[in-house]
Amino acid sequence: QQQVKQSPQSLIVQKGGISIINCAYENTAFDYFPWYQQFPGKGPALLIAIRPDVSEKKEGRFTISFNKSAKQFSLHIMDSQPGDSATYFCAATSPSDYKLSFGAGTTVTVRA
Amino acid sequence: SAVISQKPSRDICQRGTSLTIQCQVDSQVTMMFWYRQQPGQSLTLIATANQGSEATYESGFVIDKFPISRPNLTFSTLTVSNMSPEDSSIYLCSVEAGYEQYFGPGTRLTVT
């Protein structure tokens, strides 16, 4: 079964708006939570990642919020741009094997 | 970070044949992974390939169907054997570098 649950499946946002994608996990051994951005025909690109010892990490317009007690984390894309239109995957891994468990993915469409 | 290349980038193959996909990294890495991404889906781990040891396969994937070689710390191959149309997917290799994982551009395989 899928170890990381991701929602929504897709979202449409106006240029300049905020995109929010949510993920939840069950395995408490997970201790590294990356987000990947994938454009059609390309491999996933590492966007931003967080460890459970911090509740928030920001890189430019991208912010991860992490709630360890709820076992949830989310990606916020601020001031969304048409170039942000892509599929976003959350993932999780543990130090025992570094295997990534991926969420189902969210297709983000930013309308100009 | 790591720069990863894959060959071929895409191929169209007849059922019953085999295809070998190459993955080259620009630096020495211990852990390499092979993933499959079926059309419009998320990524599923096929196997972990560490240099000097046999590849470790995930549930649902077997060595006879997906033999893997890892001859050195910068190179790996994945063979998709006795192909059927259900094998049509994108195959991606990734490497672990300092806890972060980086993906190659993928090989888009179509089986007719």
Side-chain angles (χ1 to χ4, degrees), chain B:
Chain B
S1 65
V3 178
I4 304 166
S5 59
Q6 286 185 233
K7 289 181 183 179
S9 59
R10 58 178 61 228
D11 207 341
I12 300 173
C13 302
Q14 301 241 344
R15 69 171 66 209
T17 62
S18 298
L19 176 72
T20 295
I21 302 167
Q22 299 178 7
C23 178
Q24 180 76 52
V25 190
D26 68 339
S27 57
Q28 293 185 336
V29 294
T30 302
M31 304 189 76
M32 295 182 77
F33 304 88
W34 287 97
Y35 288 82
R36 181 173 74 182
Q37 186 175 28
Q38 294 179 303
Q41 302 295 313
S42 186
L43 288 83
T44 301
L45 180 63
I46 297 172
T48 303
N50 291 337
Q51 196 266 339
S53 62
E54 295 287 327
T56 305
Y57 290 83
E58 297 301 300
S59 175
F61 298 96
V62 295
I63 187 171
D64 289 346
K65 176 68 175 177
F66 298 101
I68 288 171
S69 77
R70 181 78 200 275
N72 57 53
L73 291 173
T74 63
F75 187 79
S76 179
T77 67
L78 169 76
T79 299
V80 186
S81 303
N82 188 23
M83 289 183 283
S84 67
E86 292 70 36
D87 295 320
S88 297
S89 289
I90 300 171
Y91 292 86
L92 299 127
C93 68
S94 75
V95 302
E96 182 268 334
Y99 225 116
E100 296 174 339
Q101 271 198 41
Y102 300 93
F103 283 82
T107 295
R108 184 178 294 270
L109 171 62
T110 303
V111 184
T112 60

Side-chain angles (χ1 to χ4, degrees), chain A residues 10-68:
Chain A
S10 64
L11 67 90
I12 299 173
V13 63
Q14 292 295 120
K15 179 181 175 181
I18 302 173
S19 304
I20 302 174
I21 305 169
N22 300 300
C23 287
Y25 65 98
E26 287 298 325
N27 187 346
T28 55
F30 289 150
D31 76 338
Y32 179 72
F33 302 87
W35 285 88
Y36 287 87
Q37 179 188 57
Q38 186 176 33
F39 294 104
K42 305 291 186 182
L46 180 62
L47 189 62
I48 186 173
I50 198 168
R51 294 276 179 92
D53 53 344
V54 297
S55 59
E56 187 175 281
K57 182 174 181 179
K58 183 176 180 180
E59 289 185 3
R61 296 183 294 107
F62 299 91
T63 299
I64 300 178
S65 297
F66 188 86
N67 185 329
K68 187 174 181 179

